[in-house]
Amino acid sequence: MIRRALLALGLLVALAAPAAAQERPKWAIVIHGGAGVIERANMDAKTEAAYRAGLATALAEGQRVLERGGSAMDAVEATIKVLEDDPLFNAGRGAVFTAEGRNELDAAIMDGATLRAGSVAGVTRTRHPISLARTVMEKSPHVMLIGDGADQFAKQAGLEQVDPAYFFTERRWEQLEKALNAARLPIPTRPINAPSAAKSLTWGPQPDDHRFGTVGVVALDANGDIAAGTSTGGMTAKRWNRVGDAPIIGAGTYADNRSCAVSATGSGEYFIRLTVARTICALVQYKGMSLQAAADEVVQKQLVDIRGDGGIIALTADGQLVWSFNTPGMYRAQAAAGRPTVISIYKDEP
Ligand code: ASP
């Protein structure tokens, strides 16, 4: 009897107590590798394992930087470089092709401590577009550079230049052919210097009805500063030098210590119209919403209303780490000092 009364009392106290606010972790990082129609039914075990391993390797790199006391900006750049080098993800090597058979890369980075930002669009020869975005921020008086000029600036700044064929993967080429056939558009010739079909990197069946991908990282450092970065090849069979949301500050990428850091992935045109990243941060900043509520408001309601699909990762300087996506899956992972690491793909995972 007494035991039961004590239990009931305990329950009452637990219900009355405000949810224990999680302490701000010393450092934290959240990453994504794209959202879309990613379902168990169309993913084989080997491919799934490869994606989880790719996420884990990138996350570990960011964690290493942050544990050593590196800045959020350093963590964002270092982690995205790993993802850009991984042919599984639609950024850097492994980027999707334009209808003309080129890889045109977009990237952006933003420093939440200073509100400085840098971005590039349509680059074709710079190995790490994210480093170029950061160099635009740090070594030019500008925020955004595009096309040839951006590559020229990269070369001048000493950033690694590659033959455009470096970005080629067979799997993305096959996706392009499929998309162009469906749209009844001509198939371009294989890029000069692309490896022969037999020699080039191929993967097993792909969960890739989703035409997009993109990688993104948000980080919180020991100093309490946050940053965001995004890098992408954009959308398969894009034309006319199309640019998506990733390099548009406020659309696919945004960071402000006073609100949040966000990186997005999805059908960029919709993310641009809603200035998704900035809108989420504005809801946090001016409406005092929790980060999860703000992210869900934009991703699950506003985007859905205009039929935009995709998702975001985000964090705040006080250690709220969230993601929100309205697609069946999103490659994603998070780590923070003193908290368990999470690596997930499907909707039914944490
Ligand atoms: N948001 C990117 C774009 O529209 C694509 C993606 O996230 O997959 O370029």
Side-chain angles (χ1 to χ4, degrees):
M1 181 67 190
I2 291 179
R3 201 164 152 251
R4 236 197 257 156
L6 280 176
L7 271 179
L9 189 69
L11 189 68
L12 271 181
V13 170
L15 285 177
Q22 271 192 314
E23 220 177 278
R24 175 170 95 77
K26 195 159 172 230
W27 56 263
I29 179 166
V30 190
I31 74 176
H32 72 75
V37 185
I38 310 165
E39 287 167 319
R40 283 197 174 80
N42 49 26
M43 176 87 91
D44 68 59
K46 188 175 151 227
T47 310
E48 180 180 322
Y51 272 104
R52 289 192 196 272
L55 289 168
T57 304
L59 193 71
E61 175 66 12
Q63 179 165 343
R64 197 179 56 80
V65 171
L66 293 165
E67 272 171 345
R68 281 190 330 202
S71 69
M73 286 290 285
D74 288 343
V76 166
E77 182 184 358
T79 309
I80 291 186
K81 281 171 81 173
V82 172
L83 292 162
E84 286 177 340
D85 283 347
D86 187 336
L88 275 181
F89 300 101
N90 173 19
R93 186 149 181 256
V96 298
F97 286 95
T98 67
E100 300 84 22
R102 289 151 50 91
N103 300 110
E104 294 178 356
L105 312 169
D106 303 339
I109 194 164
M110 184 157 183
D111 177 4
T114 59
L115 297 189
R116 293 175 77 207
S119 86
V120 292
V123 304
T124 60
R125 297 191 302 272
T126 302
R127 176 172 173 185
H128 290 295
I130 193 65
S131 300
L132 177 51
R134 186 167 183 184
T135 308
V136 170
M137 175 187 130
E138 289 175 348
K139 304 216 167 109
S140 89
H142 309 299
V143 169
M144 188 170 196
L145 299 181
I146 62 163
D148 249 9
D151 279 319
Q152 274 170 34
F153 172 73
K155 194 171 173 195
Q156 230 173 288
L159 297 186
E160 186 177 349
Q161 300 294 286
V162 291
D163 184 309
Y166 163 83
F167 300 111
F168 182 97
T169 51
E170 196 63 37
R171 162 191 171 213
R172 298 297 188 193
W173 189 256
E174 282 164 11
Q175 279 173 9
L176 174 68
E177 290 179 333
K178 211 169 128 192
L180 292 177
N181 281 334
R184 291 173 194 280
L185 287 169
I187 311 280
T189 47
R190 276 171 91 86
I192 307 167
N193 296 335
S196 73
K199 277 202 196 136
S200 95
L201 266 173
T202 18
W203 290 84
Q206 288 299 314
D208 261 341
D209 247 349
H210 80 295
R211 295 145 302 147
F212 23 94
T214 293
V215 306
V217 176
V218 292
L220 161 67
D221 64 28
N223 222 13
D225 293 326
I226 61 177
T230 313
S231 181
T232 188
M235 298 180 89
T236 299
K238 63 186 182 181
R239 294 199 276 171
W240 309 302
N241 299 113
R242 177 263 188 193
V243 175
D245 59 316
I248 310 284
I249 298 302
T253 308
Y254 196 76
D256 181 343
N257 276 4
R258 294 166 300 181
S259 52
C260 63
V262 178
S263 170
T265 172
S267 42
E269 281 67 12
Y270 300 85
F271 284 67
I272 293 173
R273 287 178 213 161
L274 287 177
T275 55
V276 163
R278 175 61 193 143
T279 299
I280 292 171
C281 292
L283 290 173
V284 169
Q285 189 171 354
Y286 302 121
K287 269 199 149 181
M289 285 169 82
S290 75
L291 185 58
Q292 188 71 61
D296 289 344
E297 162 65 28
V298 177
V299 175
Q300 312 293 345
K301 289 195 197 136
Q302 298 184 13
L303 260 178
V304 169
D305 282 352
I306 61 166
R307 294 175 196 279
D309 51 7
I312 62 97
I313 52 164
L315 56 65
T316 58
D318 67 5
Q320 300 173 58
L321 316 184
V322 315
W323 41 57
S324 186
F325 53 98
N326 60 29
T327 47
M330 180 166 85
Y331 300 109
R332 59 199 190 276
Q334 58 172 265
R339 295 191 200 168
T341 294
V342 184
I343 297 178
S344 303
I345 298 178
Y346 310 110
K347 208 174 203 134
D348 59 12
E349 294 181 274

